[in-house]
Amino acid sequence: HHLAGEGVELFQSAALELIAAARSALDAAEELVADPKSISAAFESLRDVATEAFRAARSGPPRPTGDDDADDFQTIQVEDD
């Protein structure tokens, strides 16, 4: 019965955290709805992020600089005594 009680406690704790997170999300949504300027600013920010993401996706992976001798690491010689 000890494990069952522990499981119930973990479930209750997780449920309470989920409820607290939902309350926070609802509070934030309420603030956005109450202030139209906030909604506009939020959508502008989302648009800017999406624009940058699409721009980065279109440009592809970073291109090499042309310096073939440049390594991402340095080899250090260690002498045995």
Side-chain angles (χ1 to χ4, degrees), residues 44-70:
E44 285 179 21
S45 295
L46 254 156
R47 182 199 63 210
D48 293 345
V49 168
T51 300
E52 288 302 314
F54 285 122
R55 185 175 294 141
R58 279 196 306 259
S59 68
R63 292 181 175 78
T65 60
D67 186 4
D68 293 336
D69 295 331

Side-chain angles (χ1 to χ4, degrees), residues 22-43:
R23 280 190 183 126
S24 294
L26 288 172
D27 288 344
E30 184 178 18
E31 288 180 28
L32 282 175
V33 170
D35 184 9
K37 290 180 185 177
S38 295
I39 294 174
S40 177
F43 280 122

